[in-house]
Amino acid sequence: MTPNFGTLYIVATPIGNLGDLSQRAIKTLQQVDLIAVEDTRHSGKLLHHFNIQTPMIPLHEYNERERSDKLLEQLKQGKNIALISDAGTPLISDPGFHLVCAVRKNDIKVTPIPGACAAIAALSVSGLPSDQFVFEGFLSSKRITRLKCLEALKNEMRTMIFYEAPHRIVNMLEDMVSAFGEDRQIVVVRELTKLYETVYDDKLSAVLACLKAHPKQQAGEFVVLVSGAEKMSMDDAEVERILKILLEECSTNQAAKLSAKITGGKKNVLYDIALRLKNIG
Ligand code: SAM
């Protein structure tokens, strides 16, 4: 690191409750020369609330590359800069990736001021396994692409975490039923740290029915967590060996059915593996 260069601080801001902005975040935002923000009006309110008068500069998904060059120059001149997003941790489904890459490539210090992140806060209260998880962010707004992505995840064994906008929450859960089945356990966390914070914890079909029956509950911000697929009782190599033998003698459907009986695995999971094995030939 070159000593005369400034530092880029990646500062997490609250996802609802302003009390979640840390003392260290406030101090950093007061002391830096410039704060890069997604939206000056939105962040202006937060900064005003904490009496932070540091100048802001917009950095959003449409100007990030070009703006990163400008910020890089300022850091090289020894200025300290903080990056915040509208809510939570920058770069997590938010801008900042190009800036951080450019800054690190130039051997300039990047340091985090950690705090709220909706995905992690939701996971921490979900009751789903948290030792291993995958963060999928927002699914595509296009149904076909969304379904393909969900299909590809149906055998994922780790807890899956998604973000979703309120106007798509019902469609998303409907597509999840198609991909994961009605009985998959899910947790839908709504309006974390806010007045109407709610956690729905049930089978997919039950949570979907509940949200459909109460349209008001479809408003707000959502994190959707899906329980991972069940682990098969035998190791993958052994399951594949059994399936290959069965596929020589019977149809994909029968092979899946019989292997489910032999291994204790789920028929739909085994059916997919059988299909893959058949395609490999
Ligand atoms: N960077 C943010 C973070 O660290 O969580 C996420 C930004 S992303 C553009 C916004 C999405 O995060 C929302 O659509 C919602 O899925 C989720 N989110 C943000 N705040 C939330 C809250 N208070 N409760 C539930 N979900 C929230």
Side-chain angles (χ1 to χ4, degrees):
M1 305 281 152
T2 312
N4 298 335
F5 287 177
T7 297
L8 175 66
Y9 295 90
I10 307 299
V11 183
T13 57
I15 54 170
N17 190 322
L18 293 184
D20 292 337
L21 190 69
S22 73
Q23 289 300 320
R24 199 166 155 241
I26 297 171
K27 204 170 157 193
T28 304
L29 294 174
Q30 279 166 340
Q31 290 179 348
V32 291
D33 299 291
L34 197 57
I35 305 175
V37 304
E38 241 187 304
D39 175 6
T40 48
R41 275 213 344 220
H42 182 97
S43 293
K45 289 184 199 152
L46 176 83
L47 300 183
H48 178 75
H49 180 88
F50 289 98
N51 196 23
I52 296 166
Q53 281 151 19
T54 312
M56 292 181 278
I57 182 168
L59 180 139
H60 42 71
E61 60 174 314
Y62 305 106
N63 73 354
E64 185 176 346
R65 284 170 193 266
E66 161 247 311
R67 201 35 64 84
S68 295
D69 294 340
K70 190 170 172 184
L71 294 177
L72 203 53
E73 280 317 304
Q74 309 235 34
L75 288 160
K76 284 181 179 170
Q77 288 164 17
K79 298 259 167 60
N80 291 316
I81 298 175
L83 172 71
I84 62 175
S85 57
D86 283 353
T89 302
L91 282 86
I92 307 301
S93 294
D94 266 339
F97 173 69
H98 294 293
L99 176 65
V100 170
C101 279
V103 171
R104 290 189 60 79
K105 267 192 196 137
N106 281 269
D107 226 9
I108 297 172
K109 188 173 177 194
V110 184
T111 193
I113 309 291
C117 173
I120 299 300
L123 179 66
S124 72
V125 296
S126 69
L128 293 177
S130 53
D131 51 345
Q132 289 194 323
F133 58 89
V134 280
F135 175 63
E136 290 290 328
F138 287 98
L139 289 166
S140 169
S141 57
K142 293 192 188 101
R143 180 144 198 263
I144 305 270
T145 319
R146 195 164 65 223
L147 270 170
K148 265 190 190 162
C149 176
L150 290 171
E151 280 292 327
L153 285 169
K154 80 171 165 199
N155 297 327
E156 171 59 64
M157 286 197 276
R158 295 166 290 183
T159 298
M160 291 163 269
I161 308 176
F162 302 85
Y163 283 161
E164 193 49 283
H167 62 280
R168 270 201 293 269
I169 188 74
V170 166
N171 291 342
M172 179 211 218
L173 296 184
E174 282 171 348
D175 291 345
M176 283 183 165
V177 169
S178 311
F180 303 140
E182 295 192 336
D183 293 340
R184 187 73 75 94
Q185 195 68 26
I186 67 159
V187 180
V188 172
V189 181
R190 176 177 166 257
E191 294 286 87
L192 274 169
T193 78
K194 301 186 204 176
L195 185 62
Y196 296 108
E197 180 179 290
T198 321
V199 180
Y200 304 91
D201 165 2
D202 210 326
K203 290 182 175 174
L204 244 170
S205 54
V207 175
L208 175 61
C210 175
L211 285 182
K212 273 185 164 172
H214 303 97
K216 278 192 182 164
Q217 301 292 310
Q218 295 168 25
E221 301 200 90
F222 290 90
V223 182
V224 176
L225 302 102
V226 181
S227 175
E230 264 176 40
K231 202 174 185 323
M232 279 186 287
S233 50
M234 289 182 193
D235 72 43
D236 294 353
E238 180 63 1
V239 169
E240 288 196 3
R241 195 184 69 80
I242 292 167
L243 269 170
K244 275 182 192 159
I245 296 169
L246 291 170
L247 281 169
E248 281 170 16
E249 304 297 329
C250 47
S251 70
T252 313
N253 200 29
Q254 283 171 319
K257 208 168 153 184
L258 288 171
S259 60
K261 282 190 181 160
I262 298 167
T263 64
K266 278 194 169 176
K267 191 186 150 201
N268 60 341
V269 175
L270 290 155
Y271 185 84
D272 287 337
I273 301 172
L275 268 187
R276 179 170 55 79
L277 292 174
K278 262 185 105 171
N279 287 338
I280 297 167

